[in-house]
Amino acid sequence: MMYIGVDLGGTGIKAGVVSEHGRILSKGSIPTKVERGYGPIIADIAKLCEKVVGDAGLALSDIAAIGVGVPGICNPKTGVIPFCTNLGWHEVPFVSELQSYIQLPVHVDNDATVAGFAESIAGVSAGSSASVFLTLGTGVGGAIIIGGRPYSGAHGVGSEIGHMILAMDGEMCSCGNRGCFERYASATAIIREGRRAVEKHPESAIMKRCGGNPERINAKTIIDCAKEGDETAKAVFAYYVKGLAHGIVSIINILDPEVIVLGGGVSMAGDFLLSAVREEVAKHVFYKTMPYARIELAQLGADAGIIGAALLGK
Amino acid sequence: MMYIGVDLGGTGIKAGVVSEHGRILSKGSIPTKVERGYGPIIADIAKLCEKVVGDAGLALSDIAAIGVGVPGICNPKTGVIPFCTNLGWHEVPFVSELQSYIQLPVHVDNDATVAGFAESIAGVSAGSSASVFLTLGTGVGGAIIIGGRPYSGAHGVGSEIGHMILAMDGEMCSCGNRGCFERYASATAIIREGRRAVEKHPESAIMKRCGGNPERINAKTIIDCAKEGDETAKAVFAYYVKGLAHGIVSIINILDPEVIVLGGGVSMAGDFLLSAVREEVAKHVFYKTMPYARIELAQLGADAGIIGAALLGK
């Protein structure tokens, strides 16, 4: 059997037909146009699903299930999406609405969870008994895969690793708490610290690269300057690595996964990031002489959402 | 079938015969006398096992397995205990040594893990799909129970929740890191903050209760004074509750368990602690309108170690 995977984002919707081993047979995309509200969006998701099935030379009867990754959470018992901030959705009866167009089982999970699940089946953490996936983007998304299945907790709201508290009384977070992991390990954190740093060090190469306008600093600005040896950028990057590594140490101490996978925009820094994080984590693990999680970069890139969503139905 | 549970501590060793539902049929105890080294201790454990089986009117042939809770970790693949700080053990071939006396399957896990497992079968978290247990003692021990089994991670070193980092750059921990959860949520944390507080507030009732000697402050001193309305003790207790609640919020955001169980010495503060923690957690949960973990006090007390260890073999 084949599976349909849908990656529902605030800007675009991607869908594809995926084999049980995580190979994409066909894929397509449409703009989300969130202002339409959920009715027309879900109708378009159904049409996109039918299109990619046709493109793969298949019929809906060849499909076992549809899986959808959403930038929010879904109640697995009711099929209702209680919150989806990026889409402005609140209490959306997603599963029943999609099933009014296509009569197939529909599985919904968080977008970070499905990306981590994809890596655990067809990516860098394939075959591991337990893995944790972190998307280092605007925020920090998390996925926990245990025994080959995404673990989302008793009420479906687990694996919000970005909101693990790393620094009690620390940086204010959008969730209302202070010191959440994502305030230290997201691209947003690098940008914030970069802007703070150039106030004190206007001579930094960061300022030249952003054309003298700190508003134009992004994570890549800092990482590129750090790679080139700029002291201010190196200090910002080191502070970022410290926060990320301390969060990873907490994950190791709590969950002891076999692999921790780094994805999302900041992971594009590649080995420069990976070697720094591995070195910092090694200094802080609890059982210094015991084996602990391998830390790796994600492999599947932009396709992870489609693959992982599809395989929810497996 | 019946099971033998052994609770191996730095001071004493307890053992009992336990039914599959967690009922203790017989139990006994001996002093550990750690200075003897592991050989004579394991020989005595074997004798204690035989004694409690006889006391229950049973023979070893009625026993399915022996489970042992240790104040450390055990490699489940090799049966070797790599570290047991309280016992001064290092690379002890525990399972093969015990099996040289009694030819039964032997299961070993961390003492906090087996206590949490016991609560999930015969205590306050019985029947839950996922629970987390915290022992609030000299340190903070943790157990994660998922799908009715203890979760100890890919290398057997998980659920060290006391060493989740709650305050990056915070209080120095015995593990070498700073800001570990147990530096804020253990009895040791209350004592430290109590001693700091009486330096600034020698007029506090804490000073009277400890006979003017801050070295005699313990967790109960602070909690009793807080219950009686002493402002200094109330502030120390509030800071403790804040740290404990922030750690619990992280656990909820990562693991989303159905129940979080509080055990260990500090949990003897009962409803005074429980209502304060519940109130503080409610302020900081991520999804304010979604259900989240019940927070409860442990029920099994000192028997949890025997019961949980026994049921490892179930």
Side-chain angles (χ1 to χ4, degrees):
Chain A
M1 290 297 275
M2 298 293 164
Y3 302 86
I4 297 173
V6 179
D7 182 352
L8 171 53
T11 308
I13 301 167
K14 293 183 285 184
V17 174
V18 177
S19 77
E20 64 182 319
H21 302 295
R23 196 166 65 82
I24 295 181
L25 283 89
S26 65
K27 62 180 177 178
S29 65
I30 52 172
T32 310
K33 294 185 274 185
V34 288
E35 65 283 0
R36 300 184 288 171
Y38 73 85
I41 293 174
I42 296 174
D44 271 4
I45 290 174
K47 282 184 206 148
L48 181 61
C49 289
E50 287 169 354
K51 181 178 182 305
V52 293
V53 168
D55 290 348
L58 298 171
L60 279 175
S61 57
D62 298 312
I63 305 297
I66 301 175
V68 187
V70 299
I73 54 168
C74 183
N75 184 324
K77 289 185 186 124
T78 62
V80 170
I81 295 176
F83 302 100
C84 220
T85 313
N86 288 0
L87 302 175
W89 287 9
H90 187 60
E91 298 295 339
V92 170
F94 185 86
V95 171
S96 60
E97 189 83 7
L98 185 54
Q99 285 178 331
S100 74
Y101 299 103
I102 303 180
Q103 286 74 49
L104 279 173
V106 174
H107 305 271
V108 186
D109 215 321
N110 177 264
D111 51 6
T113 296
V114 302
F117 185 41
E119 292 288 343
S120 80
I121 294 200
V124 71
S125 47
S128 64
S129 62
S131 64
V132 168
F133 177 81
L134 300 173
T135 54
L136 311 172
T138 307
V140 171
I144 301 169
I145 314 298
I146 297 176
R149 297 299 307 176
Y151 175 83
S152 296
H155 314 90
V157 300
S159 84
E160 285 285 0
I161 299 175
H163 297 281
M164 164 175 80
I165 294 164
L166 182 67
M168 192 166 63
D169 299 325
E171 300 285 343
M172 195 71 215
C173 185
S174 56
C175 77
N177 287 338
R178 284 184 173 277
C180 289
F181 181 40
E182 72 171 35
R183 291 303 100 197
Y184 299 85
S186 61
T188 310
I190 303 183
I191 294 166
R192 181 195 68 228
E193 293 299 322
R195 288 180 182 157
R196 287 179 185 169
V198 295
E199 278 187 29
K200 286 187 186 164
H201 297 284
E203 80 286 0
S204 158
I206 302 168
M207 275 302 248
K208 290 190 202 82
R209 196 170 292 244
C210 69
N213 180 0
E215 290 301 310
R216 290 172 56 192
I217 293 173
N218 58 32
K220 192 169 182 301
T221 317
I222 303 295
I223 289 166
D224 286 347
C225 291
K227 281 181 180 171
E228 289 166 15
D230 177 71
E231 290 301 326
T232 304
K234 278 164 68 182
V236 171
F237 182 69
Y239 184 69
Y240 173 81
V241 167
K242 177 184 169 180
L244 176 56
H246 275 66
I248 288 174
V249 167
S250 286
I251 293 166
I252 290 172
N253 287 345
I254 300 168
L255 286 169
D256 179 28
E258 196 173 328
V259 191
I260 294 175
V261 183
L262 306 182
V266 183
S267 74
M268 305 301 277
D271 282 339
F272 184 69
L273 175 73
L274 192 61
S275 59
V277 170
R278 284 176 174 166
E279 191 180 328
E280 186 73 11
V281 168
K283 289 181 202 162
H284 296 287
V285 289
F286 187 70
Y287 293 110
K288 297 272 189 298
T289 59
M290 293 282 288
Y292 62 90
R294 285 188 290 125
I295 303 168
E296 305 286 357
L297 297 172
Q299 279 180 346
L300 299 177
D303 285 340
I306 293 174
I307 297 169
L311 297 177
L312 288 174
K314 195 180 160 186
Chain B
M1 291 297 276
M2 298 292 164
Y3 303 86
I4 297 173
V6 178
D7 182 352
L8 171 53
T11 309
I13 301 166
K14 294 183 286 183
V17 174
V18 177
S19 78
E20 63 181 322
H21 303 295
R23 196 165 65 82
I24 295 180
L25 283 89
S26 65
K27 62 180 176 178
S29 65
I30 53 172
T32 310
K33 296 186 272 184
V34 288
E35 65 283 359
R36 299 184 287 172
Y38 73 83
I41 292 174
I42 296 174
D44 271 5
I45 289 174
K47 282 185 207 149
L48 181 61
C49 289
E50 287 168 354
K51 182 179 182 305
V52 293
V53 169
D55 290 349
L58 298 171
L60 278 175
S61 57
D62 298 311
I63 305 297
I66 302 175
V68 187
V70 299
I73 54 169
C74 184
N75 185 325
K77 289 185 187 124
T78 61
V80 169
I81 296 176
F83 303 99
C84 220
T85 314
N86 288 0
L87 301 175
W89 287 8
H90 186 60
E91 299 294 340
V92 169
F94 186 86
V95 171
S96 60
E97 189 82 8
L98 185 54
Q99 284 177 332
S100 74
Y101 300 102
I102 303 180
Q103 287 74 48
L104 279 174
V106 173
H107 304 271
V108 186
D109 215 322
N110 176 265
D111 51 5
T113 296
V114 303
F117 184 42
E119 292 288 344
S120 80
I121 295 200
V124 70
S125 48
S128 63
S129 62
S131 63
V132 168
F133 178 80
L134 300 173
T135 54
L136 311 172
T138 307
V140 170
I144 300 170
I145 315 298
I146 296 177
R149 297 300 306 175
Y151 175 82
S152 296
H155 314 91
V157 299
S159 83
E160 285 286 0
I161 300 175
H163 297 281
M164 164 175 81
I165 294 165
L166 182 67
M168 192 164 64
D169 298 324
E171 301 285 341
M172 195 72 216
C173 185
S174 56
C175 76
N177 287 336
R178 286 184 172 275
C180 289
F181 180 41
E182 72 171 36
R183 292 302 100 198
Y184 300 86
S186 61
T188 310
I190 303 182
I191 295 166
R192 180 195 69 227
E193 294 298 323
R195 287 178 183 159
R196 287 178 184 170
V198 294
E199 278 187 29
K200 287 187 186 164
H201 297 283
E203 80 286 1
S204 157
I206 301 169
M207 274 302 249
K208 288 189 204 81
R209 195 170 293 245
C210 69
N213 180 1
E215 290 301 309
R216 290 172 57 193
I217 292 173
N218 59 31
K220 192 169 182 302
T221 318
I222 304 295
I223 289 165
D224 286 347
C225 291
K227 281 180 180 171
E228 289 166 15
D230 177 71
E231 291 301 326
T232 304
K234 278 164 68 182
V236 171
F237 182 69
Y239 184 70
Y240 174 81
V241 167
K242 177 184 169 181
L244 176 55
H246 275 67
I248 288 174
V249 167
S250 286
I251 294 165
I252 291 173
N253 287 345
I254 299 168
L255 287 169
D256 179 27
E258 196 173 327
V259 190
I260 294 175
V261 183
L262 306 181
V266 183
S267 74
M268 306 300 278
D271 282 338
F272 184 69
L273 175 73
L274 192 61
S275 58
V277 170
R278 285 176 174 167
E279 191 181 328
E280 186 73 11
V281 168
K283 289 181 202 163
H284 296 286
V285 289
F286 187 70
Y287 293 111
K288 297 271 188 300
T289 58
M290 293 282 288
Y292 62 91
R294 286 188 289 123
I295 303 168
E296 305 285 357
L297 298 172
Q299 278 181 346
L300 299 177
D303 286 340
I306 294 174
I307 297 169
L311 297 177
L312 288 175
K314 196 179 158 187

